[in-house]
Amino acid sequence: MDKLVYLDNNATTRVDERVLEEMMPYFKEEYANPSSMYSFAKKASDAIKEARVKIRDFVNARDEKEIIFTSCGSESANTAIRGVLNYNKNKKHIITTKVEHPCVLNLYQTLEKQGYRVDYIGVNSNGELNIDELENAIDEDTALVSVMWANNETGVIFPIKKISEIIKSKNKDTKFFVDSVQVAGKIPIDVQENGIDLLGISGHKFHAPKGVGALYVNSKTMITPLIIGGHQERGKRAGTENTPYIVGIGKAAELAQDSLKYEMTEVKRLRDKLESNIVKKIYNARINTGVAERVPNTTNIGFEYIEGELILLHLSDMGICASSGSACTSGSLEPSHVLRAMNVPFTAIHGSIRWSLSRFTTEEEIDYVIDKLPEIIEKVTSISPYQKELQALKNLRQN
Ligand code: PLP
C-alpha cells in the first residue's frame, strides 16, 4: 500500500494482531455453540467466561455477571436506555447532553415522540458540560441521566464521578448510563469508583474487530431486554454468543489495560506535539477545546475561513486520514452538532478537523503530518473568498 498515516482512531481502530490470533481458533476448531451440552462446547463456553472476567476487570465491576456482550456501542446504548425505561414505565423524564453520539441523541428524539420529556444539557465554548444546568434538571420523575464519558469529536472528558454524586443526592432512584465508547483504552474506567449504573463500550474503538461491544449493568439495576429470544446473557440479550468476537473484545480489553500508561504518556505526547506544531506553524489554526481536559489521543483543530472537506481531500492525497466530524455525519456539509453546541465561531466551524491517534501511531507519522499540513492549509487558504479577514487574522496572530 502507498503511504498511510491513520489519524482517525475515534472512528475505528486497527485490530491488534494479538487479538486476531486469540480469536482464530474459535472460527476454525472451537466452533461449537457455547450453550450446547456436549464436551466439545466446553472450550467455547469457557472462553466466553474468561472474556467476561476480562471485561469485568477492565471496567472494575464487582461481578462478571454484570457484563452483557452486545454487537456494538450503539446496541449497548440502546439496550441500556430502552432497558431502563421499559422496566420502569412510570417515569418519563430523561436528562442527556447536546453533544452525545447520534446513537444516543437520535434514540432520545424518538423517545420524545413517544411521550418522554428529555432535557439536553449544554456545554461551554471549550466543550465542558454545564453541571449546574444538569443538577437543576433532575426531578422526581427523572428515570435516567445519560452522559458520555468523553466526546468522540473533541475528546473532552465529562466529570462522571461528580455527576453521579449529584444524581444520587437529588434522586436515589434515577439511573446513570455512561456511554464510555471513547474512553475505553484511553483513561482508566472504574464503574464502582464513579457510581455508574450502566456503561457501554465498543470493541472496534480499542483494537478489537467491529461487531462486538459490551454493556455493564450493575446488579441493582433492572432492565427489560431489547432482544428477546433464548436465555443467553442471563436473559438480557438473546442470540447465540459470537464466541470469536467475544474472545476478541476480552483480549483487546486486557491489552488496552496493559497499554493505558503508554496511551496516557506517549500517545498524549505525540498528540501534544502535533497540536502545538500546527498552532505554531499555521496562523489560522485554533484548538477548539481550549484548555478542557481531554482523552490523550484526540485534538480538534479549527482552520479559520476555509472548508474542512477540502482539507481532508488534500490530506487524503498525501495518505493522511483524519475527519471533519463524527464518521456518521461527515459526508453531509452540516457543521457538527458538537461544535455548534460549543458555539465554535462560524469562521472556524466549517474548517474543523479531528485528529485521533492510537498506540500504533508513530513519531515519524506525526512528523510527516507536521511537515505536510502547512502547505495544504496554505493551498486551501489561497482560494478562500475571505482574503481580507485572513490578512487581518494573520496580522493579529503574528503580532
Ligand atoms: N458512542 C460514541 C461516543 C461513539 O463515538 C460511537 C462511535 O463512533 C458510538 C457510541 C457507537 O459505537 P458503534 O459504532 O460501535 O455502534
Side-chain angles (χ1 to χ4, degrees), residues 10 72-74 101 103 148 152 179 181-182 202 204-205:
N10 288 7
C72 59
S74 302
H101 186 269
C103 75
M148 64 198 334
N152 44 305
D179 173 355
V181 166
Q182 291 295 346
S202 174
H204 75 102
K205 307 288 186 179

Side-chain angles (χ1 to χ4, degrees), residues 8 35 41 57 75 91-92 150 153 170 178 190 218 222 255 263 269 310 312 340 343 377 391-392:
D8 202 15
S35 302
D57 294 346
E75 188 193 323
K91 294 192 180 228
K92 297 285 181 198
E153 293 186 37
K170 293 211 67 176
V178 181
D190 187 329
N218 79 13
M222 298 300 145
L255 295 173
E263 193 85 22
R269 184 184 69 77
L310 209 47
L312 290 183
R340 270 186 288 147
N343 279 321
I377 298 296
Q391 190 54 51

Side-chain angles (χ1 to χ4, degrees), residues 203-222:
H204 75 102
K205 307 288 186 179
F206 59 100
H207 308 291
K210 295 156 198 59
V212 63
L215 173 65
Y216 158 81
V217 182
N218 79 13
S219 55
K220 297 192 197 91
T221 300
M222 298 300 145

Side-chain angles (χ1 to χ4, degrees), residues 94-365:
I94 302 156
I95 300 170
T96 189
T97 81
K98 287 187 178 164
V99 296
E100 296 297 299
H101 186 269
C103 75
V104 169
L105 274 187
N106 290 341
L107 174 56
Y108 288 130
Q109 275 156 22
T110 304
L111 290 169
E112 275 188 286
K113 290 188 192 121
Q114 294 169 4
Y116 283 91
R117 183 165 56 92
V118 185
D119 279 320
Y120 298 91
I121 306 302
V123 293
N124 67 13
S125 60
N126 287 344
E128 293 156 319
L129 197 62
N130 188 339
I131 298 291
D132 292 343
E133 202 185 321
L134 185 142
E135 180 160 11
N136 293 333
I138 302 172
D139 65 28
E140 289 270 278
D141 194 34
T142 310
L144 185 68
V145 174
S146 156
V147 172
M148 64 198 334
W149 200 323
N151 186 270
N152 44 305
E153 293 186 37
T154 61
V156 172
I157 296 174
F158 290 157
I160 294 304
K161 187 171 183 188
K162 191 165 167 197
I163 297 169
S164 81
E165 284 166 1
I166 291 171
I167 298 168
K168 302 303 171 214
S169 76
K170 293 211 67 176
N171 184 344
K172 285 203 159 42
D173 297 328
T174 300
K175 296 298 178 189
F176 186 26
F177 167 61
V178 181
D179 173 355
S180 302
V181 166
Q182 291 295 346
V183 293
K186 298 172 189 169
I187 58 171
I189 297 179
D190 187 329
V191 289
Q192 298 186 72
E193 162 78 13
N194 288 283
I196 296 168
D197 297 315
L198 306 105
L199 172 141
I201 57 175
S202 174
H204 75 102
K205 307 288 186 179
F206 59 100
H207 308 291
K210 295 156 198 59
V212 63
L215 173 65
Y216 158 81
V217 182
N218 79 13
S219 55
K220 297 192 197 91
T221 300
M222 298 300 145
I223 59 165
T224 299
L226 190 63
I227 302 178
I228 295 169
H231 289 103
Q232 294 91 352
E233 301 299 303
R234 309 179 75 80
K236 294 202 176 95
R237 199 269 189 181
T240 301
E241 298 91 336
N242 186 353
T243 316
Y245 281 65
I246 290 173
V247 167
I249 196 173
K251 181 67 182 176
E254 188 180 67
L255 295 173
Q257 193 67 28
D258 289 348
S259 51
L260 259 186
K261 200 165 156 215
Y262 181 86
E263 193 85 22
M264 293 164 72
T265 52
E266 257 316 279
V267 175
K268 179 176 184 298
R269 184 184 69 77
L270 292 178
R271 187 273 312 268
D272 291 347
K273 179 176 183 184
L274 175 69
E275 186 176 270
S276 58
N277 274 282
I278 290 177
V279 176
K280 194 167 75 193
K281 291 180 176 211
I282 301 171
Y283 73 88
N284 55 334
R286 77 192 284 276
I287 299 165
N288 284 327
T289 49
V291 294
E293 190 192 356
R294 293 168 298 164
V295 284
N297 79 320
T298 309
T299 179
N300 191 306
I301 298 182
F303 298 95
E304 299 198 61
Y305 298 106
I306 56 178
E307 275 300 333
E309 268 63 31
L310 209 47
I311 305 171
L312 290 183
L313 288 177
H314 282 284
L315 285 170
S316 175
D317 284 347
M318 303 226 168
I320 302 167
C321 307
S323 143
S324 64
S326 66
C328 315
T329 52
S330 63
S332 103
L333 286 177
E334 267 284 287
S336 114
H337 70 286
V338 176
L339 301 184
R340 270 186 288 147
M342 290 162 68
N343 279 321
V344 170
F346 86 94
T347 52
I349 201 164
H350 289 279
S352 287
I353 305 288
R354 174 187 74 184
W355 313 82
S356 48
L357 288 65
S358 82
R359 62 175 184 254
F360 294 112
T361 306
T362 64
E363 185 117 30
E364 185 242 318
E365 290 175 331

